[in-house]
Amino acid sequence: MQINRSGTSDKLACLPRQCAGAMPPDGSPHRRPAQMLSCRPETLQLRKIAIAAICPWRYCNLAIGAAVGLCYGLMRKAVDPGGSKLRILIVRLSALGDVIHTMPLACALRDCLPQATIGWLVEDRFADLLEGHRAVDILLTVQRRWLCRPGEVLRLRDRLRRLQFDVAIDAQGLTKSALAAWLSGAKRRIGYGRPWGRELSRWLNNELVDTRSVHAVPRHLELLAPLGVTAPAVEFSVPIDSKAQQAADTLLGELGIANRYVVIHPGASWPSKRWPADRYAAVAVHLARRWKLPVLVLSGSRQEQQTAAQLAAALPEMIQPAPLLTLKQLAAVLRGARLYLGSDSGPLHLAAAVGVPCVGLYGPWPA
């Protein structure tokens, strides 16, 4: 029998695969000998070449499959349901009242997923209110109209990608907020379905929640259902800043206002939301004369400063216009008020968030 170069006999190499090298346990010959196949030398050579070419790919496929399985297991371990290593990005860019309405969402995440890392992307003009918030580990800011500047978009993308967020929650439902969530690279992008998912947000987010709540706060909380968070308690936890509180106390002392005072804000972003200034003045005079309550009138622009001066002129000894305040100082001033009166605006929602009794005047938009 001729031995080939591989060290095996020609006849043995030509045996059917199920018989080649197979011997009974007792070492005796096969009871039913397999049929010997005659193979030419060139056929043997082609077979060896084919086996040498196929086997490495077979082992590579096994290696790739094992690597993919290992990576998938590591990913499942890194993003476990308990949220111990979950990295979550909240996207609520504006405006003041809407940012305040989103605070309970952050608090619910912190309470239900205490080990998770929570980031918040917001426009820089509202960032002061979130600085030091107990639920926010990473505070990220962008300028207003950032989407109109390609360089700003690329820089935001780089910042977000470096933080490696697993989940992004679009609590605004607009193209700009959904695009920011998409730029983060998060695999799960939770956002609103209809009707609150507007513009291109429903195409950019990949987990849509059809909410049923009418008010903004419970509606935002419904976005947490895909993360297993249902019916959480509503808590705002507006940060208390010691320096801002000291500045507020100094201001109230200079104006001669004691602890019992009323805050009025006659301004609003939309003209249709504004109540006439003379009616605010009539209410302020009534509170001052009938209930002996000093009134502090807030303003956020030059036009509102003129309205505040108009109210103060009705009863100068009891009604005082406040200077322009930072958001932290505004929160400190509101905390000491007995009552808040104003239109549908950010200060109204901030007053409610810090626990002040409020009278809100709503016009074209439901409460």
Side-chain angles (χ1 to χ4, degrees):
M1 185 180 295
Q2 183 178 358
I3 305 298
N4 58 23
R5 295 182 182 179
S6 61
T8 60
S9 67
D10 289 342
K11 291 185 178 180
L12 185 60
C14 297
L15 287 176
R17 185 175 180 181
Q18 63 270 23
C19 299
M23 295 292 291
D26 56 359
S28 60
H30 291 288
R31 295 180 181 178
R32 186 178 180 181
Q35 182 180 1
M36 298 297 181
L37 300 179
S38 61
C39 296
R40 298 179 180 179
E42 57 271 17
T43 304
L44 295 175
Q45 188 68 21
L46 290 174
R47 178 176 293 184
K48 288 189 291 182
I49 294 174
I51 293 175
I54 294 173
C55 287
W57 286 107
R58 181 181 300 173
Y59 289 116
C60 287
N61 290 336
L62 292 175
I64 293 173
V68 171
L70 178 62
C71 292
Y72 179 71
L74 292 175
M75 289 173 62
R76 288 181 58 89
K77 184 177 180 181
V79 186
D80 62 300
S84 60
K85 296 182 180 179
L86 203 63
R87 299 180 68 84
I88 304 173
L89 174 66
I90 300 171
V91 182
R92 182 74 219 200
L93 303 172
S94 61
L96 177 58
D98 298 310
V99 171
I100 295 168
H101 285 159
T102 312
M103 286 182 177
L105 183 147
C107 292
L109 284 174
R110 173 58 64 224
D111 295 337
C112 298
L113 303 173
Q115 302 301 322
T117 300
I118 301 174
W120 190 321
L121 180 65
V122 67
E123 290 183 5
D124 50 8
R125 53 188 174 140
F126 306 116
D128 285 350
L129 198 60
L130 294 173
E131 187 175 341
H133 196 285
R134 71 172 186 87
V136 180
D137 300 306
I138 305 172
L139 183 58
L140 301 161
T141 62
V142 290
Q143 296 179 358
R144 192 179 184 183
R145 304 187 185 280
W146 61 275
L147 196 54
C148 301
R149 296 184 290 273
E152 185 69 18
V153 173
L154 293 176
R155 285 190 291 270
L156 175 62
R157 176 190 178 278
D158 293 340
R159 282 193 296 159
L160 294 176
R161 292 294 176 96
R162 284 196 296 266
L163 294 171
Q164 298 181 347
F165 288 106
D166 305 301
V167 181
I169 302 175
D170 173 17
Q172 194 155 356
L174 297 177
T175 299
K176 62 180 181 180
S177 56
L179 181 60
W182 180 78
L183 289 173
S184 71
K187 300 299 182 183
R188 302 181 63 184
R189 298 183 300 278
I190 303 172
Y192 284 111
R194 296 182 183 273
W196 295 103
R198 294 158 288 174
E199 300 175 353
L200 299 179
S201 64
R202 294 195 304 274
W203 284 266
L204 292 169
N205 297 321
N206 55 17
E207 293 188 42
L208 302 181
V209 180
D210 294 327
T211 58
R212 299 181 178 181
S213 300
V214 177
H215 194 276
V217 171
R219 187 170 69 243
H220 292 336
L221 292 176
E222 289 187 52
L223 292 176
L224 301 181
L227 299 178
V229 180
T230 57
V234 176
E235 185 178 351
F236 292 89
S237 299
V238 179
I240 300 176
D241 186 83
S242 58
K243 293 182 179 180
Q245 187 63 55
Q246 184 178 359
D249 295 339
T250 302
L251 171 64
L252 294 173
E254 293 175 351
L255 297 177
I257 298 178
N259 294 329
R260 299 176 68 252
Y261 59 92
V262 176
V263 175
I264 292 180
H265 180 227
S269 57
W270 300 353
S272 56
K273 290 184 177 182
R274 299 170 192 161
W275 206 38
D278 57 338
R279 299 186 184 183
Y280 274 112
V283 174
V285 171
H286 172 76
L287 291 171
R289 289 178 175 172
R290 176 66 177 82
W291 301 102
K292 308 300 180 184
L293 292 172
V295 177
L296 182 66
V297 184
L298 300 178
S299 58
S301 64
R302 292 184 177 180
Q303 181 180 358
E304 292 182 5
Q305 285 180 325
Q306 296 175 359
T307 304
Q310 181 180 345
L311 267 66
L315 193 63
E317 62 273 16
M318 293 293 289
I319 305 175
Q320 298 289 340
L324 294 178
L325 303 172
T326 66
L327 291 178
K328 293 181 180 180
Q329 293 171 350
L330 176 60
V333 168
L334 292 174
R335 280 193 175 90
R338 292 289 302 274
L339 178 67
Y340 179 94
L341 171 64
S343 307
D344 178 17
S345 62
L348 169 64
H349 304 305
L350 182 56
V354 298
V356 178
C358 298
V359 177
L361 304 175
Y362 288 81
W365 196 254

